[in-house]
Structure formats: C-alpha cells, structure tokens
Amino acid sequence: MNKICSLLAVGALVASCADYNVTDDFTADPDPTYVEPFKEYAPVKSYIDREKYANMKLGAQLKVSDFNKQELAHAAAVTNFDDVAFGSSLMSGAIINEKGMMNFLDMKDLLDHVEEIGGEVFGSPIVANANQPEGWLNMLTAPIEVQVATIEDKNVDYTTMEEFTGTAISGKPSIEKNYDDGTNALKVPKRAKVYIVEGFDVDPLGEYTVTFYAQVDKDESIICTFSDNKIQEGGKDKKYTLKAGKWVKVVVEAKPAEGATAGYLMIEGNLNSLVYIQKVQVSHKPDSHRPQTEQEKRDTINYALNTWCDGMMKINAGRIKSFDLIDEALDARAELENGMLDLKHSDTQIFWQDVLGSEQYAPVVSRVASAAYQNYGGDPALLKFFISETGLEDQKRYESLKYWIGVWDANGAKIDGVNVKLNLTFSEDAEKQAANEASLNTLLDNLASMGKLIRLSNFDIKYQDASGANVAAKQITEEQRLKLADFYAFVIKSYMSRIPQDKQAGICKGNMVDTSDPVGLWAIDNNSKDWVRTSVYKAFCEALRGN
C-alpha cells in the first residue's frame, strides 16, 4: 500500500490516493498537484454549527473491508464525516458461524483504529430478522434427543399358516406344507413380487428393522422394498444374498419413503430359485428427538442473545455508544386487531420476537445489551438505542411503529431514538417532485412529534426523468446533477428545521460515491478512477451551514 495512503486518518481533502495533502494540521486546500471542481470547500462535516446543533452528526456507511484497507473510501469517511456505520457487516450473521464460533477480528481492527484517530462508529443492529446467524439459532433450537424404547410392530409366523392371504404384485405365492421338519413355509415363485409382511402403520421418522428367515435350493439374491422405499446401497438396489441348503437370517434396516403410510416389506429379484420364508418380525425405534418446549426454546434464545451481546460488547469495550437495537421489525401487511401493523413472524426461521414475545422483544434485547455494555466498561449515560425501520413515509407504517415503541416503552425498554431508512427519489415531473417534498416534510413532522432522537440513514437519492425512468450515473448531465443536489439540500434543511435541535441524531449517507445511480458526493473519473467532487458535495456543505 502507498505509504501516504496508510496515514490518511489524520485528515486531508479527499481527491486521489496519490495526491492527498496529508499533514498533522488540517488544511482545506487540496493538493496543488490535483485539480478538481468545488476545491474551495472544506470537509463536509466542518460546516455544521456545533454550538447550535450539538447532537447533529454526519455519518457515512461503508463495508468493514473497505474501511480496514485504509485507502480511498476510508479517507473520505474519516475526513468528511463524524461517524461511520457498517450495516450488515457487523451484524451477528456475519460474525457467528453455524457452530456458534464468533469472529470479531475485523471488528476489533476497525474499533482499535477508530479509537486511535478519535473517530466514532454507529453500531449495527443488535438483532433483526435478516442477517442473523440462522445456522447457529437452528442448531440451538433443534429438537432434543431422548431415550426411546423399541416398538414391536408385527410378527408373521408362516410355520403354522395354512393359506397365504397377503399381497402379491406378481406371481402366485402359496404355503408349502411340511416344508421343514413338519413345519410350513411361504413359497415365493421365481420373478414374483410378494409382500412377506404388511398391515401395520408406519412412523415417518421411525427407523425400522425387519428380520426374517429364508431358504433357497440354489444360491440366490433378493431385493427388498420397505413401505415404498427400495433399499439402496452404493446408488444401486441392495442385494441380500441367500446361500442354498440352509436357513439364512435376513435383516433389513430401512425408513419408510416420504409420505408413505402403509407398512410392508416386499421381496423380489429371485431369478434362479424359489424362496421359502418362515418367520418375519418388524420393529422400529421412534424418532429419538422431541421439540423443545416453549420454555426451553425461550431459555435457549435468551442464552443466544446473552452470548451474542456479551461477545460483541466485550470487543466493543464501550467504544460504540449508539446502536440500532432492532432492525425492520414491522410486517408489510399483517395487522393487529387494532389496525396497526404486526411485527414480522415466521414458521420457517427463528425470529427473536417469535420466542421472546412481540411485546417483550425490545425490552428483553435492550436489557441484555445494556447490561453487557456496562459489564465491559461502557458508560450507561452515553448509551443510545435506536429502532431502525424503513417505509415510514407511509402513514400506517409510521403510526404502527409509534404504537410498538409505545408498547415497548411501557414494558421497560430503553429506546432513545428512531433510525429512519430513507427511500428518496427526485423526479423531473414537477407534480411528482412536489409530492416527494411534501411526503418528506410530513414524515419529518411525524417524527418530530415522537419526542425521540431522530436519525436519517440510507440517505441516497435516485434521479428519475419526467417519464419515470431512472437516470444512471453514466448518463446524468450536470444540469440534472444540480437539480439532484438541490433536493439533497432540501432534505438536509428540512431535517434541521423540522426536527428539534436537541432531537437531531444526524444524517447518514448510504453511499459516498456514485454507484450505478448518481447518489454520491463524489463521481468516479472514468480514466484515473479518482473520486471527483460533484455538485452534491457543494449542496451538503451549503445546506449544513444554513445557506
């Protein structure tokens, strides 16, 4: 890595990795060897009036791997933003494997570095429905193994039977009287398919053993099918060998085919000799697992939550002070009796709220996370928990979230704020754009009425032309970029004017640089691959200082 690039934490105007002006005393002037638009502007965060907006923070989200490289994205983040957020890359699903092993190496590296340079991190969601350690949770909540007794299912004694009344798919089996020392036997013709035992119910999870005695006149082999499951070995039909002239004990171990309900064992495949059968016995061991009781599952999930919070807060050591507590808990359609949206629930995955209980979801998580935070040196006076949610422009989603926060507050949860995931678009259609702006202002007014800290995240704005088609970063004109920049400024000013100053927890940029959409404060130069400031950079600076 370039030696200069490894020193970017001390702060410099972001341009090219080869052209930073890195000094211990920050200067707003760019490296004179690099020319870029809007070079007269200082780092974006420097335009916030800290006396007037004491809680206001400007954040940026990026990947842990990009940050830990300490290259261009890292420099842009630490120079221009107050804090960094890492989304799903610091969530439990990225850290805990299916055996419960936790890998905090990347998290430790970034926190050590952020602490060294005096930066801040906004904590990823402690729990959520997505990006969770599903393998580990499934293992923990799996059915419990118990001791089971063997069950005798059926016995058939052909030695005393006078007539065969069973099922033959092909051939005509019969009872051979006085076959051996005055005892009878079932005679199975060549090439026949005969049920030698049947008429018992099957346990779909049971492990069955069928034992019978057979004799042949010539060496022979047979194939067996148990309850629609043709016994296989090495990818082929398993052949059971019978030696001529003596009774051979045959043991068939099998499970019924999926969906099978009728119990039977069919033999076939004897091409060279008749087969004589005397006694048949069927037994099985039931599934040796039972589902966990509700209390056992609750204890298990509490163990998982405590283990995760303890491990994460130990590495954190009080350094991250603000976290998303719960992420995107609201369902899209399911409603409660009072008309509010329900939380998400699942029949196929382990959702924390399904086990902890919807009304105790946030109270339990906040209590466990708070205790772990304090156990490892965190100052409880500085700890802040946010509920993160998307789609709050929709009035019903907003009212539903407000309802649930009220329930959780009443049950003792620590909820300091709401982290609102934005989903914004600028439209060239004047009527649509007016509606976009009105919707944003309604959202902010609603949020202001909650009395909680308000943080805006995923602050990226897509650009649509008058027909409603998205305009890509490669196609956007400077005139269009200016319109986009104006809308960014509008959002920032609306937030700072409509949310009370003591409730402003900040704004977090979703992407610092253009993606396929023109969402960045920087564009990427096609030739040099440098980051080049756009008019959105200027708009941020001017809006933050009140212009």
Side-chain angles (χ1 to χ4, degrees):
M1 187 192 306
N2 186 303
K3 183 181 291 185
I4 289 178
C5 290
S6 67
L7 301 173
L8 294 178
V10 297
L13 187 63
V14 178
S16 158
C17 194
D19 298 308
Y20 282 104
N21 179 14
V22 179
T23 61
D24 290 334
D25 298 314
F26 175 79
T27 174
D29 293 328
D31 188 312
T33 64
Y34 187 77
V35 179
E36 60 174 324
F38 310 110
K39 62 182 180 180
E40 67 273 19
Y41 286 93
V44 181
K45 66 184 180 182
S46 66
Y47 290 91
I48 300 173
D49 184 340
R50 303 294 178 179
E51 291 186 5
K52 186 176 181 181
Y53 302 101
N55 291 332
M56 177 67 180
K57 291 183 179 179
L58 189 64
Q61 182 166 313
L62 65 163
K63 295 178 181 179
V64 169
S65 57
D66 289 339
F67 185 82
N68 282 349
K69 290 176 184 176
Q70 297 187 27
E71 296 178 350
L72 194 54
H74 165 276
V78 301
T79 303
N80 291 278
F81 298 88
D82 295 307
D83 61 34
V84 285
F86 296 98
S88 62
S89 53
L90 287 187
M91 292 176 70
S92 58
I95 291 174
I96 307 176
N97 70 13
E98 58 188 23
K99 294 183 178 180
M101 299 297 292
M102 300 186 184
N103 183 352
F104 289 104
L105 292 178
D106 286 344
M107 182 176 178
K108 184 180 186 304
D109 285 347
L110 76 88
L111 286 178
D112 289 348
H113 175 61
V114 169
E115 183 179 30
E116 180 184 358
I117 65 175
E120 294 184 35
V121 173
F122 186 88
S124 298
I126 293 174
V127 294
N129 299 318
N131 301 303
Q132 300 299 281
E134 292 184 25
W136 183 49
L137 295 178
N138 288 335
M139 179 192 75
L140 290 176
T141 57
I144 296 173
E145 188 166 1
V146 293
Q147 288 188 336
V148 294
T150 299
I151 296 174
E152 298 294 331
D153 293 285
K154 188 147 189 180
N155 291 297
V156 177
D157 186 359
Y158 289 109
T159 64
T160 58
M161 194 174 292
E162 297 291 324
E163 181 182 2
F164 178 72
T165 58
T167 301
I169 303 301
S170 63
K172 294 182 178 181
S174 61
I175 298 297
E176 183 78 8
K177 296 181 179 180
N178 299 318
Y179 174 72
D180 184 43
D181 293 333
T183 60
N184 300 342
L186 171 65
K187 181 172 68 176
V188 179
K190 298 177 184 178
R191 296 180 173 83
K193 294 183 178 181
V194 179
Y195 287 18
I196 64 171
V197 62
E198 59 185 306
F200 55 94
D201 295 330
V202 290
D203 177 352
L205 299 178
E207 297 181 351
Y208 282 79
T209 301
V210 182
T211 304
F212 63 93
Y213 291 85
Q215 184 166 288
V216 291
D217 297 327
K218 299 178 182 178
D219 287 353
E220 183 61 279
S221 62
I222 56 174
I223 296 168
C224 297
T225 298
F226 179 79
S227 295
D228 301 344
N229 177 24
K230 203 168 193 179
I231 311 305
Q232 302 283 297
E233 187 174 63
K236 298 180 180 180
D237 294 341
K238 181 176 182 178
K239 294 185 177 182
Y240 295 84
T241 301
L242 306 176
K243 291 294 184 180
K246 61 179 182 178
W247 288 106
V248 177
K249 180 180 179 180
V250 180
V251 179
V252 178
E253 294 182 336
K255 291 184 177 182
E258 185 175 353
T261 57
Y264 68 87
L265 183 77
M266 181 183 77
I267 67 170
E268 60 179 305
N270 54 315
L271 305 179
N272 303 310
S273 174
L274 299 172
V275 178
Y276 295 90
I277 307 291
Q278 284 200 323
K279 296 180 179 181
V280 185
Q281 181 183 48
V282 183
S283 63
H284 81 277
K285 280 194 172 182
D287 179 30
S288 59
H289 299 84
R290 64 162 178 81
Q292 293 187 23
T293 66
E294 291 303 312
Q295 185 60 51
E296 287 171 336
K297 188 174 288 188
R298 191 174 300 113
D299 291 344
T300 298
I301 288 299
N302 270 289
Y303 161 80
L305 179 63
N306 277 270
T307 301
W308 159 238
C309 288
D310 186 80
M312 185 262 292
M313 291 300 184
K314 182 178 181 180
I315 295 297
N316 180 46
R319 292 177 286 190
I320 301 176
K321 301 171 180 66
S322 294
F323 295 84
D324 277 338
L325 183 72
I326 292 172
D327 183 47
E328 296 190 20
L330 290 179
D331 196 89
R333 293 178 296 275
E335 294 183 0
L336 304 171
E337 290 182 359
N338 61 7
M340 296 293 103
L341 291 174
D342 195 0
L343 303 186
K344 294 173 182 173
H345 299 285
S346 176
D347 295 327
T348 58
Q349 296 175 265
I350 301 297
F351 280 5
W352 302 93
Q353 61 269 31
D354 287 338
V355 181
L356 301 175
S358 295
E359 295 188 355
Q360 293 300 320
Y361 185 23
V364 171
V365 177
S366 66
R367 184 167 59 251
V368 171
S370 295
Y373 175 82
Q374 293 179 57
N375 286 344
Y376 293 102
D379 183 349
L382 301 178
L383 179 62
K384 299 288 186 293
F385 286 146
F386 291 75
I387 302 297
S388 178
E389 192 53 75
T390 187
L392 296 181
E393 300 87 354
D394 179 85
Q395 188 68 19
K396 186 167 186 176
R397 285 189 71 80
Y398 159 73
E399 291 175 355
S400 299
L401 181 65
K402 187 175 181 179
Y403 163 78
W404 279 109
I405 288 177
V407 171
W408 294 332
D409 279 342
N411 288 334
K414 174 179 172 57
I415 300 174
D416 301 284
V418 178
N419 186 12
V420 183
K421 293 183 177 181
L422 298 174
N423 182 24
L424 300 177
T425 300
F426 172 83
S427 176
E428 288 182 349
D429 183 295
E431 185 176 344
K432 288 183 180 179
Q433 183 55 23
N436 290 341
E437 294 175 5
S439 175
L440 173 73
N441 284 337
T442 298
L443 168 64
L444 294 173
D445 290 342
N446 283 338
L447 295 170
S449 72
M450 296 182 72
K452 301 281 188 183
L453 293 171
I454 302 300
R455 181 177 188 263
L456 303 184
S457 61
N458 193 39
F459 184 30
D460 290 346
I461 304 177
K462 294 183 179 181
Y463 191 101
Q464 288 185 349
D465 62 22
S467 69
N470 286 346
V471 176
K474 292 181 178 180
Q475 278 76 46
I476 195 167
T477 66
E478 185 54 35
E479 180 182 3
Q480 290 173 321
R481 182 85 76 167
L482 287 170
K483 293 177 181 178
L484 184 62
D486 287 343
F487 191 32
Y488 271 106
F490 174 86
V491 175
I492 294 170
K493 292 177 183 179
S494 294
Y495 171 80
M496 297 180 76
S497 63
R498 292 176 181 270
I499 302 298
Q501 293 172 10
D502 65 336
K503 301 301 180 185
Q504 294 175 10
I507 299 174
C508 182
K509 192 73 179 70
N511 288 280
M512 296 184 292
V513 68
D514 281 351
T515 61
S516 57
D517 294 304
V519 295
L521 283 74
W522 292 267
I524 299 177
D525 184 270
N526 289 331
N527 297 318
S528 67
K529 304 304 179 184
D530 287 320
W531 288 20
V532 180
R533 289 177 178 178
T534 71
S535 52
V536 173
Y537 188 104
K538 174 184 176 181
F540 264 71
C541 297
E542 295 293 346
L544 288 170
R545 70 177 172 186
N547 290 344

